[in-house]
Every structure is written in C-alpha cells, then in structure tokens.
C-alpha cells in the first residue's frame, strides 16, 4: 500500500468532507469543514500538491461568478469490501467518495479468486487504503495484533481469502449482520430511524442493533448473537449450543416442510424460494409451513423487543426478507409484546457488502487522515 502523505490538520479536515461530498467548491468546503476560506484555499492547494484532490471543472453561481469544483485525486486510492456469505462471496471496490469501481461475485469455495477478480479491475496505480471483511461470526480480536474471526465458525474461509489480500493494507473484520444493519440505516428500510433492530433469518440467525445511529458491538463484540439464546427452555429439556439457530434456520424450515408435505402435492420444495413461491400460489401445505415459520420468527422478534424496545424491526436474510412473513410476525409480536413496527429489508442480499463498503470507505479516509499531526 502506498503510504499516505503527512497532512496538516486543516488539509485532513478538508479531505474528509470532500470524500463525503464527492465534489465541492472551496466555499462549500469551508462551510462543511467549518474553516475560513483562506485556510481552505491553503488546504486545497496542499491536497492538490500530493494528488489527494483534483480540479473537476467549474460551477456557476447566482451572481454569474464561477467557482472551481474539486474532487478526490488519484492518490486518494480505493478500498475493498468482502462479504464471506454462507454460499456466495461478494466483493466491492470503491473510491473513498463511495463510487463503485469494481465488483465480483462467486461461490464461497472460490472466495479467494473472487477477491482477486475485484482487485484486478481496480485502476492501475490506485493505492488500496483499507479492507473490510464481513463474516458470520463474532469479530472481537482474540489477541493484540491478530486479525481473525473470534471463533472457528468463519475461520477457515477467512484464512483462504487472506492469502489473496494485498500485504500491508489494514484489514478490518466486521460481523455480516452488523454490516447489513448499516446498509438498512443509510440506504434501506431504516432511513431516518436512529434506533432499530435488523433481524436476519436465513441459514443462520442474527441481530444487528442500531442505537443513536451507531451499531452496538457489545463488550465481547457479540451483541445481537441471538443464536445463543437458550433454547429449548422447558422442564426436562436442556438448552443446547445455538439450538435456536438450528430450529429457525432455513435448513430446519425445509426439513419441517419435508416432514409435513403430503404426497398428493407432488415433490416437496428443496429451496426456501420455491417453498415461499408455492405458498404465494395457494399451496395449503406450503402456506402452513410458512405461517408456522412466521410465528417462530415473531416469537424471536418478541424476545428482541422485550430487551431492546427498538420501535422498528427490519426483517432480512434469505428467508426473513420474504414479505409473506410479515403478517404472521406482526401478529405474534403484537400478541406477546408492545407495539413495534416490522418491515421487510430493502437492500436484500446485497446488504452485507453494501454496509461493508460503507465501513471500508470510512476506514480508508481514516487511513489517509490519521497521520495529520502537524499544526497549521
């Protein structure tokens, strides 16, 4: 990774707001950075001198005067976001203003090749500033200086991908559900809401908790690990490790469908998508399974609401995002808890990589500006 030049504090502040704005004039930069116009002019000249900012045309004002417009320069570089999903790996490379530069998708077992494909599509010479890898695991660091999932769940696939990552670039691990929650906050169903829960139901289950516009990580980096809720919890039954995830996850959903499927209805659906499609087409057997699944998700939602009272729950994941679940989830939640709005995800399967890219951009800007230690 090309090292970031040492910047003055004012140049660092102007670079940060320029990355957020995408393009801006010097008066706009002065307003956004809350700096004087002479200070901004000096900062812009400094950034241009090290190719972190570049002239991008002119803008005409209401008085007929024109102002120079600036954008990030070629030395600003790029960032990489990697979503190591349970079946599919998605990768996005973005400029530090969030502009999409490259993307690649492929099977989980080919994750390293997917990463290489995205890296090969980056502009030649663009320094890579940060990498965010989203994993279905707790992401607290086990040891100082180590970068690896905290448990064995996502470790092997991360190790396989790590060999494809360029050396010397800061790598940050993030929980995949937390990344998707950020995407819903900024670009999805929770826009304008500062406190909500993002409940993902798919192969696994997870909860992203957003409070005051920030994702809650927890003391162990494990906030929202609802798979660890004790289940079953009844006389004579011992709770098992992640048994609730085993029960609500899509594999169990399809297994229950197979057990209840009448022979007169033909072959039992082998995917959740087909199951929900049949339910939508009027299949009574499929509808019964889907309705029962909605009740189960509603009970989990009630547990979440009892603890957090988030006001809004966004349902996502490979099964949770189906709108057909909403009536049953809402009804069960209303029966067991206090009023809470429940909506379907708007970012869908891209939520994790979209959120990871947003985090990567923030990390990349931080990488460029964190060396700003000199005084103006």
């Amino acid at each position: 990774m090309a090292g970031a030049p040492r910047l003055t504090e004012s140049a660092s502040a102007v670079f940060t707001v320029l990355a957020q704005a995408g393009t801006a004039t010097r008066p706009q930069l002065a307003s956004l950075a809350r700096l004087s116009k002479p200070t901004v002019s000096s900062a812009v000249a400094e950034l241009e001198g090290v190719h972190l900012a570049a002239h991008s045309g002119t803008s005409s004002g209401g008085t007929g005067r024109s102002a120079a417009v600036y954008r990030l320069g070629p030395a600003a570089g790029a960032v990489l976001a990697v979503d190591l999903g349970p079946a599919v790996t998605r990768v996005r490379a973005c400029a530090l203003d969030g502009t999409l530069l490259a993307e690649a998708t492929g099977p989980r077992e080919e994750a390293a090749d997917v990463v290489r494909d995205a890296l090969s599509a980056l502009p030649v010479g663009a320094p890579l500033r940060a990498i965010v890898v989203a994993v279905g695991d707790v992401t607290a660091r086990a040891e100082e200086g180590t970068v690896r999932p905290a448990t064995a769940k996502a470790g092997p696939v991360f190790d396989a991908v790590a060999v494809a990552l360029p050396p010397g670039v800061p790598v940050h691990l993030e929980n995949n559900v937390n990344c998707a929650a950020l995407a819903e906050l900024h670009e999805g169903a929770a826009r304008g809401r500062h406190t909500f829960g993002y409940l993902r139901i798919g192969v696994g289950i997870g909860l992203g908790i957003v409070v005051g516009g920030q994702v809650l990580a927890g003391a162990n980096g494990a906030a929202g690990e609802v798979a660890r809720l004790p289940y079953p919890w009844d006389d004579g039954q011992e709770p098992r490790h992640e048994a609730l995830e085993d029960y609500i996850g899509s594999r169990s959903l399809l297994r229950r469908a197979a057990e209840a499927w009448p022979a007169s209805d033909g072959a039992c659906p082998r995917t959740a998508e087909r199951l929900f499609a049949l339910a939508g087409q009027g299949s009574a057997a499929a509808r019964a399974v889907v309705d029962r699944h909605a009740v189960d998700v509603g009970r989990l939602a009630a547990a979440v609401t009892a603890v957090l009272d988030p006001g809004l729950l966004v349902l996502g994941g490979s099964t949770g995002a189906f709108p057909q679940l909403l009536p049953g989830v809402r009804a069960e939640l209303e029966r067991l808890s206090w009023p809470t709005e429940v909506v379907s995800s708007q970012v869908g399967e891209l939520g994790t990589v979209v959120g990871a890219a947003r985090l990567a951009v923030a990390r990349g800007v931080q990488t460029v500006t964190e060396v700003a230690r000199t005084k103006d």
Side-chain angles (χ1 to χ4, degrees):
M1 178 188 72
R6 181 173 293 277
L7 301 175
T8 59
E9 291 181 359
S10 58
S12 175
V14 169
F15 180 84
T16 298
V17 298
L18 183 57
Q20 293 170 345
T23 60
T25 63
R26 278 180 288 186
Q28 289 170 335
L29 291 171
S31 175
L32 291 169
R34 299 183 179 180
L35 296 172
S36 69
K37 291 181 180 179
T39 299
V40 167
S41 294
S42 176
V44 168
E46 179 183 344
L47 293 172
E48 285 188 291
V50 292
H51 307 293
L52 288 174
H55 188 261
S56 182
T58 58
S59 174
S60 297
T63 61
R65 296 181 178 180
S66 61
V69 177
Y70 296 91
R71 57 175 171 78
L72 295 184
V79 296
L80 197 71
V82 183
D83 170 18
L84 297 180
V88 177
T89 296
R90 294 182 174 87
V91 182
R92 284 192 169 192
C94 297
L96 295 196
D97 61 1
T99 301
L100 181 65
L101 300 175
E103 58 184 339
T105 303
R108 178 184 174 98
E109 58 269 18
E110 298 175 12
D113 290 334
V114 177
V115 170
R116 293 187 183 99
D117 287 345
L119 288 171
S120 67
L122 285 176
V124 176
L128 196 60
R129 298 299 188 186
I131 299 169
V132 167
V133 181
V135 296
D137 201 351
V138 177
T139 57
R141 291 171 181 251
E143 299 175 12
E144 185 64 30
T146 63
V147 181
R148 202 171 185 276
T151 73
K153 185 185 294 185
V157 69
F158 175 77
D159 290 343
V161 167
V163 300
L165 301 178
V169 182
V171 178
H172 308 274
L173 288 182
E174 299 290 347
N175 177 266
N176 58 356
V177 178
N178 288 345
C179 289
L182 275 179
E184 296 291 350
L185 172 66
H186 293 285
E187 304 177 43
R191 279 175 293 185
R193 306 289 288 266
H194 298 292
T195 298
F196 70 96
Y198 169 77
L199 187 57
R200 171 173 284 183
I201 309 293
V203 175
I205 62 175
L207 175 69
I209 305 167
V210 176
V211 178
Q214 301 294 320
V215 173
L216 180 66
N220 296 295
E225 289 292 315
V226 290
R228 299 292 184 92
L229 287 172
Y231 179 85
W233 198 355
D234 199 356
D235 291 342
Q237 298 188 67
E238 188 72 17
R240 294 178 287 104
H241 179 74
E242 298 186 351
L244 183 60
E245 182 171 79
D246 291 340
Y247 175 74
I248 293 183
S250 58
R251 293 189 182 96
S252 291
L253 172 66
L254 293 173
R255 184 171 61 250
R256 287 193 295 275
E259 292 170 352
W261 202 258
S264 58
D265 282 17
C268 178
R270 301 181 65 180
T271 66
E273 291 80 5
R274 180 59 179 159
L275 176 66
F276 278 82
L278 288 174
Q281 294 166 12
S283 166
R287 185 73 257 175
V289 175
V290 168
D291 287 348
R292 176 63 211 190
H293 191 54
V295 169
D296 291 333
V297 174
R299 290 174 180 176
L300 176 56
V304 169
T305 301
V307 176
L308 298 177
D309 187 20
L312 170 67
L313 281 177
V314 180
L315 298 184
S318 59
T319 60
F322 282 102
Q324 292 164 311
L325 286 179
L326 283 178
V329 173
R330 288 168 173 165
E332 188 69 2
L333 179 57
E334 182 178 6
R335 185 179 75 85
L336 295 173
S337 193
W338 37 80
T340 302
E341 184 180 0
V342 184
V343 298
S344 296
S345 165
Q346 291 183 0
V347 295
E349 62 186 11
L350 295 179
T352 294
V353 75
V354 167
R358 178 174 287 275
L359 287 172
V361 165
R363 295 285 193 174
V365 171
Q366 181 182 11
T367 297
V368 173
T369 60
E370 66 185 0
V371 295
R373 295 292 183 266
T374 60
K375 297 293 184 180
D376 297 337

